[in-house]
Amino acid sequence: MSLTRNGRGIAAICVGMCIFVGNDTLVKLAAEEGLPTVQIIVMRGVVACSLFFLGIVALSLHTGARATLTHPLVILRSSIDALVTLAFITALPLMPIADLTAISMVSPILITILSALLLRESVGWRRWLAVAAGFAGMLLVVRPSAGGFQLAGLLGLASACGVAIREIVTRRLPPTLPSVFVALATTLTTTVIAVVLTPFWPAWQMPSPRAIGYLLGAAVLLVAGTTLVILAFRDVDVSAVSPFRFTSVTWAMLAGLLVFGNVPAPLALAGVVLIVASGTYTAHRERVRKVTRVGSPTRR
């Protein structure tokens, strides 16, 4: 894998994570205006699709757009992402943005577990220790009560599970599929699923001008962030790019402090450090595994 491709992926993921935190911040502000989850997703998705993605498709006249939108892996990825979005946005009003972002960062750890359970990959004691440390960090962030996990923590963990599966699917997308159309398929699918779920969710509210402004801004950031994150994991060494997802934790902490006045509790901060260290080490061991695969088997 060339350094140029990995460098491109790292740059894309760093900028994309910053943009996504901006999107999450605006969505959380819209939720605080009283808008239910599905209304936020539909309004943001319609704006993103109509003003940006569909405009790009119309202007480019790309002949592969239809093939991309109907590709089985694209449909699978888009459906998973829709569930991730529903879980994450539902949890946003219920807990600090930095805590929820930190929980979502356990996805590299979950990829290790899925590799062991589903792909029968040999996982050594070092990576299992990293997995245990990551989940310990998550518990410090969530701080479940005696009655078990709070709803927000469970939704955050469900979102992280979906992200882990989504990234595995993204890595298997054919390189001929343009990232912008994969992003379009993602937003369209998420919006349609939210429309279908509308009758089963709290009733829509009349949005205030401020809420509309938040969602317009969120739509712009969604377009940019989704495209960059998809681009970041296309034709790169995933183990080299994945650790840079953790830059979002720093941005989320800043957003939580500056926008919402959330000061991280010491235990939560310790949990964030454990999650970031665990995920970074997991990605490092994945790279070591790839290097040693051609030699004698190594348990890592």
Side-chain angles (χ1 to χ4, degrees), residues 67-126:
T68 301
L69 296 178
T70 58
H71 192 284
L73 285 178
V74 173
I75 294 174
L76 175 61
R77 185 196 182 280
S78 300
S79 300
I80 295 170
D81 196 79
L83 298 177
V84 168
T85 301
L86 281 168
F88 191 89
I89 292 182
T90 302
L92 260 178
L94 305 178
M95 68 188 305
I97 188 172
D99 290 359
L100 183 58
T101 301
I103 293 173
S104 70
M105 291 297 105
V106 302
S107 54
I109 303 165
L110 295 172
I111 290 175
T112 297
I113 298 175
L114 291 175
S115 297
L117 296 179
L118 302 180
L119 304 179
R120 303 297 182 183
E121 179 183 312
S122 177
V123 177
W125 63 271
R126 294 182 184 88

Side-chain angles (χ1 to χ4, degrees), residues 259-277:
V259 180
F260 303 104
N262 300 138
V263 179
L267 281 179
L269 195 57
V272 169
V273 172
L274 272 176
I275 292 172
V276 172

Side-chain angles (χ1 to χ4, degrees), residues 231-263:
L231 179 64
F233 288 98
R234 300 289 297 274
D235 196 25
V236 298
D237 183 348
V238 174
S239 63
V241 174
S242 290
F244 290 88
R245 291 183 61 91
F246 295 111
T247 56
S248 64
V249 177
T250 301
W251 296 116
M253 285 185 170
L254 285 174
L257 179 63
L258 299 177
V259 180
F260 303 104
N262 300 138
V263 179

Side-chain angles (χ1 to χ4, degrees), residues 21-46:
V21 169
N23 165 75
D24 295 339
T25 300
L26 292 175
V27 167
K28 185 174 177 67
L29 289 170
E32 291 184 350
E33 292 287 317
L35 302 184
T37 299
V38 292
Q39 183 177 358
I40 290 172
I41 294 174
V42 171
M43 291 179 64
R44 184 187 64 169
V46 167

